[in-house]
Amino acid sequence: MEERNQWCFACGRLNPIGLKLTFREENNTYVTNFTAGPEHQGYDGIVHGGIVSTLLDEIMARYIYAKGGNAVTARLEVRYRQPTPIGQALTVAGWIVAQRGRFYEMAGEVRLPDGTVTAEGKALVAVVDQAKV
Ligand SMILES: CCCCCCCC(=O)SCCNC(=O)CCNC(=O)[C@H](O)C(C)(C)COP(=O)(O)OP(=O)(O)OC[C@H]1O[C@@H](n2cnc3c(N)ncnc32)[C@H](O)[C@@H]1OP(=O)(O)O
């Protein structure tokens, strides 16, 4: 991995308050695991919706980044299907739905260990010139 972007809140190795996500690709799907702590909650025991949104944003945009594009999120939609608990190993997955030129239509989800989907994401990810990111 190149040394740029090491302070990314979601994936940077150097960010002391970041989520420090690591990723793998499985069957054309980009995947990370994350266990939220008390510092990530909104209501007691429940992961803050902004953090859930961050997880989905990251998994969808970073998949295109990992494929070599300078990817930015152009649009993000999150459907919170049920509260996401802290203290459980979440699986966050993202995949490509369609490509139109430099725009990728993406989808993603947050799952509990038993497979329950707590949140679904849709995103439009744009590939931009390196000078812009
Ligand atoms: C270390 C790796 C980390 C990776 C994970 C990080 C993920 C992120 O959080 S990225 C940060 C958040 N995102 C951003 O900051 C992006 C900010 N926005 C931009 O840079 C630009 O608006 C950008 C690149 C999306 C599009 O701009 P630009 O390339 O100039 O396109 P532009 O000329 O405005 O639009 C052309 C057409 O593209 C389409 N389009 C452009 N933007 C959008 C959009 N947001 N939604 C839908 N369609 C769009 C439209 O069809 C548009 O035509 P029209 O304006 O007539 O509808």
Short mmCIF file of all heavy atoms in Angstrom, two decimals, residues 34 36 45-49 51-53 55-56 78-86 88-93 108-121:
data_model
loop_
_atom_site.label_atom_id
_atom_site.label_comp_id
_atom_site.label_asym_id
_atom_site.label_seq_id
_atom_site.Cartn_x
_atom_site.Cartn_y
_atom_site.Cartn_z
N PHE A 34 -15.30 -4.81 11.66
CA PHE A 34 -15.13 -3.72 12.63
C PHE A 34 -16.01 -4.01 13.84
O PHE A 34 -17.19 -4.34 13.70
CB PHE A 34 -15.53 -2.39 12.00
CG PHE A 34 -15.44 -1.22 12.95
CD1 PHE A 34 -14.21 -0.77 13.40
CD2 PHE A 34 -16.59 -0.59 13.40
CE1 PHE A 34 -14.11 0.29 14.28
CE2 PHE A 34 -16.50 0.49 14.29
CZ PHE A 34 -15.27 0.92 14.72
N ALA A 36 -17.34 -1.98 16.95
CA ALA A 36 -17.45 -0.63 17.52
C ALA A 36 -17.36 -0.69 19.04
O ALA A 36 -17.83 -1.65 19.67
CB ALA A 36 -18.78 0.00 17.10
N GLY A 45 -25.19 1.81 23.75
CA GLY A 45 -25.11 0.47 23.16
C GLY A 45 -25.30 0.41 21.66
O GLY A 45 -25.16 -0.65 21.06
N ILE A 46 -25.63 1.56 21.05
CA ILE A 46 -25.95 1.58 19.62
C ILE A 46 -24.90 2.41 18.87
O ILE A 46 -24.59 3.54 19.27
CB ILE A 46 -27.34 2.22 19.39
CG1 ILE A 46 -28.41 1.49 20.21
CG2 ILE A 46 -27.68 2.26 17.90
CD1 ILE A 46 -28.54 0.02 19.89
N VAL A 47 -24.37 1.86 17.80
CA VAL A 47 -23.37 2.58 17.01
C VAL A 47 -24.01 3.85 16.43
O VAL A 47 -25.13 3.81 15.90
CB VAL A 47 -22.84 1.71 15.84
CG1 VAL A 47 -21.73 2.45 15.10
CG2 VAL A 47 -22.31 0.36 16.37
N HIS A 48 -23.31 4.97 16.55
CA HIS A 48 -23.80 6.23 15.99
C HIS A 48 -24.04 6.07 14.49
O HIS A 48 -23.22 5.48 13.78
CB HIS A 48 -22.76 7.33 16.25
CG HIS A 48 -23.31 8.71 16.03
ND1 HIS A 48 -23.59 9.20 14.79
CD2 HIS A 48 -23.65 9.68 16.92
CE1 HIS A 48 -24.07 10.42 14.91
NE2 HIS A 48 -24.12 10.74 16.19
N GLY A 49 -25.15 6.62 14.01
CA GLY A 49 -25.48 6.49 12.60
C GLY A 49 -24.43 7.07 11.68
O GLY A 49 -24.23 6.59 10.55
N ILE A 51 -21.26 6.92 12.16
CA ILE A 51 -20.18 5.92 12.05
C ILE A 51 -20.62 4.80 11.10
O ILE A 51 -19.83 4.34 10.27
CB ILE A 51 -19.82 5.35 13.44
CG1 ILE A 51 -19.26 6.46 14.36
CG2 ILE A 51 -18.82 4.20 13.32
CD1 ILE A 51 -17.90 6.99 13.96
N VAL A 52 -21.86 4.38 11.21
CA VAL A 52 -22.39 3.37 10.27
C VAL A 52 -22.27 3.90 8.83
O VAL A 52 -21.84 3.19 7.92
CB VAL A 52 -23.86 3.03 10.61
CG1 VAL A 52 -24.47 2.13 9.54
CG2 VAL A 52 -23.94 2.36 11.98
N SER A 53 -22.63 5.15 8.67
CA SER A 53 -22.54 5.80 7.36
C SER A 53 -21.09 5.84 6.88
O SER A 53 -20.80 5.58 5.70
CB SER A 53 -23.13 7.21 7.47
OG SER A 53 -23.09 7.85 6.26
N LEU A 55 -18.72 3.74 7.67
CA LEU A 55 -18.31 2.38 7.29
C LEU A 55 -18.78 2.06 5.86
O LEU A 55 -18.03 1.52 5.05
CB LEU A 55 -18.90 1.36 8.27
CG LEU A 55 -18.35 1.40 9.70
CD1 LEU A 55 -19.21 0.52 10.62
CD2 LEU A 55 -16.89 0.95 9.74
N LEU A 56 -20.01 2.43 5.57
CA LEU A 56 -20.54 2.14 4.23
C LEU A 56 -19.87 3.02 3.17
O LEU A 56 -19.52 2.55 2.08
CB LEU A 56 -22.06 2.35 4.23
CG LEU A 56 -22.84 1.27 5.00
CD1 LEU A 56 -24.27 1.72 5.26
CD2 LEU A 56 -22.82 -0.05 4.22
N VAL A 78 -28.07 5.95 2.89
CA VAL A 78 -28.00 4.88 3.90
C VAL A 78 -29.40 4.54 4.36
O VAL A 78 -30.20 5.43 4.71
CB VAL A 78 -27.14 5.30 5.11
CG1 VAL A 78 -27.11 4.19 6.16
CG2 VAL A 78 -25.71 5.64 4.67
N ARG A 79 -29.70 3.27 4.35
CA ARG A 79 -30.95 2.82 4.95
C ARG A 79 -30.60 2.09 6.24
O ARG A 79 -29.95 1.03 6.21
CB ARG A 79 -31.70 1.88 3.99
CG ARG A 79 -32.99 1.40 4.60
CD ARG A 79 -33.85 0.64 3.63
NE ARG A 79 -35.04 0.15 4.31
CZ ARG A 79 -35.94 -0.64 3.75
NH1 ARG A 79 -35.79 -1.02 2.50
NH2 ARG A 79 -36.99 -1.04 4.45
N TYR A 80 -31.01 2.68 7.36
CA TYR A 80 -30.77 2.06 8.67
C TYR A 80 -31.95 1.14 8.95
O TYR A 80 -33.03 1.59 9.31
CB TYR A 80 -30.66 3.14 9.75
CG TYR A 80 -29.51 4.12 9.54
CD1 TYR A 80 -29.72 5.36 8.94
CD2 TYR A 80 -28.22 3.80 9.96
CE1 TYR A 80 -28.67 6.25 8.75
CE2 TYR A 80 -27.17 4.68 9.78
CZ TYR A 80 -27.41 5.91 9.17
OH TYR A 80 -26.37 6.80 8.98
N ARG A 81 -31.71 -0.15 8.80
CA ARG A 81 -32.82 -1.10 8.94
C ARG A 81 -33.11 -1.43 10.40
O ARG A 81 -34.25 -1.66 10.77
CB ARG A 81 -32.51 -2.38 8.18
CG ARG A 81 -32.34 -2.16 6.69
CD ARG A 81 -32.15 -3.47 5.97
NE ARG A 81 -33.37 -4.25 5.97
CZ ARG A 81 -34.26 -4.23 4.98
NH1 ARG A 81 -34.05 -3.48 3.92
NH2 ARG A 81 -35.34 -4.96 5.05
N GLN A 82 -32.07 -1.49 11.20
CA GLN A 82 -32.26 -1.71 12.64
C GLN A 82 -31.01 -1.23 13.36
O GLN A 82 -29.96 -1.05 12.73
CB GLN A 82 -32.55 -3.18 12.94
CG GLN A 82 -31.45 -4.14 12.59
CD GLN A 82 -31.85 -5.57 12.95
OE1 GLN A 82 -32.79 -6.15 12.40
NE2 GLN A 82 -31.14 -6.15 13.91
N PRO A 83 -31.10 -0.97 14.67
CA PRO A 83 -29.92 -0.47 15.38
C PRO A 83 -28.74 -1.42 15.23
O PRO A 83 -28.90 -2.65 15.27
CB PRO A 83 -30.39 -0.40 16.84
CG PRO A 83 -31.88 -0.27 16.75
CD PRO A 83 -32.29 -1.08 15.55
N THR A 84 -27.56 -0.84 15.09
CA THR A 84 -26.32 -1.61 15.00
C THR A 84 -25.65 -1.58 16.37
O THR A 84 -25.32 -0.50 16.87
CB THR A 84 -25.37 -1.00 13.94
OG1 THR A 84 -26.03 -1.01 12.67
CG2 THR A 84 -24.08 -1.78 13.85
N PRO A 85 -25.48 -2.72 17.01
CA PRO A 85 -24.94 -2.73 18.38
C PRO A 85 -23.42 -2.54 18.42
O PRO A 85 -22.71 -2.95 17.50
CB PRO A 85 -25.31 -4.13 18.88
CG PRO A 85 -25.39 -4.97 17.66
CD PRO A 85 -25.84 -4.07 16.53
N ILE A 86 -22.93 -1.93 19.48
CA ILE A 86 -21.48 -1.92 19.72
C ILE A 86 -21.10 -3.31 20.26
O ILE A 86 -21.94 -4.09 20.68
CB ILE A 86 -21.06 -0.81 20.72
CG1 ILE A 86 -21.64 -1.05 22.10
CG2 ILE A 86 -21.45 0.56 20.18
CD1 ILE A 86 -21.03 -0.14 23.19
N GLN A 88 -19.98 -5.99 18.83
CA GLN A 88 -20.13 -7.18 17.99
C GLN A 88 -19.29 -7.02 16.74
O GLN A 88 -19.20 -5.91 16.19
CB GLN A 88 -21.59 -7.40 17.59
CG GLN A 88 -22.49 -7.77 18.77
CD GLN A 88 -23.80 -8.39 18.31
OE1 GLN A 88 -23.87 -9.07 17.31
NE2 GLN A 88 -24.85 -8.12 19.09
N ALA A 89 -18.71 -8.10 16.28
CA ALA A 89 -17.86 -8.06 15.08
C ALA A 89 -18.73 -7.88 13.84
O ALA A 89 -19.37 -8.82 13.38
CB ALA A 89 -17.05 -9.35 14.98
N LEU A 90 -18.75 -6.65 13.36
CA LEU A 90 -19.55 -6.33 12.17
C LEU A 90 -18.77 -6.72 10.92
O LEU A 90 -17.55 -6.58 10.86
CB LEU A 90 -19.86 -4.84 12.13
CG LEU A 90 -20.53 -4.25 13.37
CD1 LEU A 90 -20.60 -2.73 13.25
CD2 LEU A 90 -21.91 -4.86 13.58
N THR A 91 -19.49 -7.17 9.93
CA THR A 91 -18.92 -7.35 8.60
C THR A 91 -19.52 -6.27 7.70
O THR A 91 -20.75 -6.10 7.65
CB THR A 91 -19.27 -8.74 8.03
OG1 THR A 91 -18.69 -9.74 8.88
CG2 THR A 91 -18.71 -8.92 6.62
N VAL A 92 -18.64 -5.53 7.04
CA VAL A 92 -19.07 -4.47 6.14
C VAL A 92 -18.62 -4.85 4.74
O VAL A 92 -17.42 -5.12 4.53
CB VAL A 92 -18.47 -3.11 6.56
CG1 VAL A 92 -19.04 -1.98 5.71
CG2 VAL A 92 -18.72 -2.85 8.05
N ALA A 93 -19.56 -4.91 3.81
CA ALA A 93 -19.25 -5.38 2.46
C ALA A 93 -19.73 -4.36 1.43
O ALA A 93 -20.76 -3.71 1.62
CB ALA A 93 -19.93 -6.73 2.21
N GLY A 108 -23.72 -1.55 -0.63
CA GLY A 108 -23.00 -2.11 0.50
C GLY A 108 -23.95 -2.45 1.63
O GLY A 108 -25.13 -2.07 1.61
N GLU A 109 -23.43 -3.17 2.61
CA GLU A 109 -24.25 -3.50 3.77
C GLU A 109 -23.38 -3.75 4.99
O GLU A 109 -22.20 -4.08 4.88
CB GLU A 109 -25.18 -4.68 3.49
CG GLU A 109 -24.49 -5.96 3.12
CD GLU A 109 -25.48 -7.03 2.65
OE1 GLU A 109 -26.57 -6.69 2.15
OE2 GLU A 109 -25.13 -8.22 2.79
N VAL A 110 -24.03 -3.58 6.14
CA VAL A 110 -23.41 -3.88 7.44
C VAL A 110 -24.15 -5.08 8.02
O VAL A 110 -25.38 -5.06 8.11
CB VAL A 110 -23.52 -2.66 8.40
CG1 VAL A 110 -22.96 -3.01 9.77
CG2 VAL A 110 -22.80 -1.45 7.81
N ARG A 111 -23.38 -6.10 8.38
CA ARG A 111 -24.01 -7.32 8.88
C ARG A 111 -23.51 -7.68 10.28
O ARG A 111 -22.33 -7.49 10.59
CB ARG A 111 -23.67 -8.51 7.96
CG ARG A 111 -24.29 -8.42 6.60
CD ARG A 111 -24.17 -9.76 5.88
NE ARG A 111 -22.79 -10.12 5.56
CZ ARG A 111 -22.20 -9.87 4.38
NH1 ARG A 111 -22.86 -9.26 3.42
NH2 ARG A 111 -20.96 -10.24 4.18
N LEU A 112 -24.41 -8.25 11.07
CA LEU A 112 -24.04 -8.81 12.38
C LEU A 112 -23.44 -10.20 12.18
O LEU A 112 -23.58 -10.79 11.10
CB LEU A 112 -25.28 -8.90 13.27
CG LEU A 112 -26.01 -7.60 13.55
CD1 LEU A 112 -27.20 -7.86 14.47
CD2 LEU A 112 -25.07 -6.57 14.15
N PRO A 113 -22.80 -10.76 13.22
CA PRO A 113 -22.22 -12.10 13.09
C PRO A 113 -23.23 -13.16 12.64
O PRO A 113 -22.86 -14.12 11.98
CB PRO A 113 -21.70 -12.40 14.50
CG PRO A 113 -21.37 -11.04 15.06
CD PRO A 113 -22.43 -10.13 14.52
N ASP A 114 -24.50 -12.99 12.98
CA ASP A 114 -25.50 -13.99 12.56
C ASP A 114 -26.04 -13.73 11.15
O ASP A 114 -26.95 -14.43 10.69
CB ASP A 114 -26.65 -14.07 13.57
CG ASP A 114 -27.53 -12.82 13.57
OD1 ASP A 114 -27.28 -11.88 12.77
OD2 ASP A 114 -28.49 -12.79 14.36
N GLY A 115 -25.49 -12.72 10.48
CA GLY A 115 -25.90 -12.44 9.11
C GLY A 115 -26.98 -11.38 8.97
O GLY A 115 -27.28 -10.93 7.86
N THR A 116 -27.55 -10.95 10.07
CA THR A 116 -28.57 -9.90 10.03
C THR A 116 -28.00 -8.62 9.44
O THR A 116 -26.93 -8.16 9.87
CB THR A 116 -29.10 -9.59 11.45
OG1 THR A 116 -29.60 -10.79 12.02
CG2 THR A 116 -30.18 -8.52 11.42
N VAL A 117 -28.68 -8.06 8.46
CA VAL A 117 -28.24 -6.79 7.86
C VAL A 117 -28.86 -5.65 8.66
O VAL A 117 -30.08 -5.53 8.77
CB VAL A 117 -28.67 -6.71 6.39
CG1 VAL A 117 -28.34 -5.34 5.81
CG2 VAL A 117 -27.99 -7.82 5.58
N THR A 118 -27.99 -4.82 9.24
CA THR A 118 -28.51 -3.68 10.03
C THR A 118 -28.60 -2.40 9.21
O THR A 118 -29.36 -1.51 9.55
CB THR A 118 -27.65 -3.42 11.28
OG1 THR A 118 -26.33 -3.04 10.86
CG2 THR A 118 -27.58 -4.65 12.16
N ALA A 119 -27.78 -2.30 8.16
CA ALA A 119 -27.81 -1.07 7.35
C ALA A 119 -27.40 -1.40 5.92
O ALA A 119 -26.55 -2.26 5.69
CB ALA A 119 -26.88 -0.02 7.93
N GLU A 120 -28.03 -0.69 4.99
CA GLU A 120 -27.71 -0.86 3.57
C GLU A 120 -27.28 0.48 3.01
O GLU A 120 -27.82 1.53 3.38
CB GLU A 120 -28.94 -1.33 2.79
CG GLU A 120 -29.43 -2.70 3.21
CD GLU A 120 -30.78 -3.05 2.60
OE1 GLU A 120 -31.49 -2.11 2.15
OE2 GLU A 120 -31.12 -4.23 2.60
N GLY A 121 -26.31 0.45 2.12
CA GLY A 121 -25.85 1.68 1.50
C GLY A 121 -25.92 1.61 -0.01
O GLY A 121 -25.82 0.53 -0.60
#
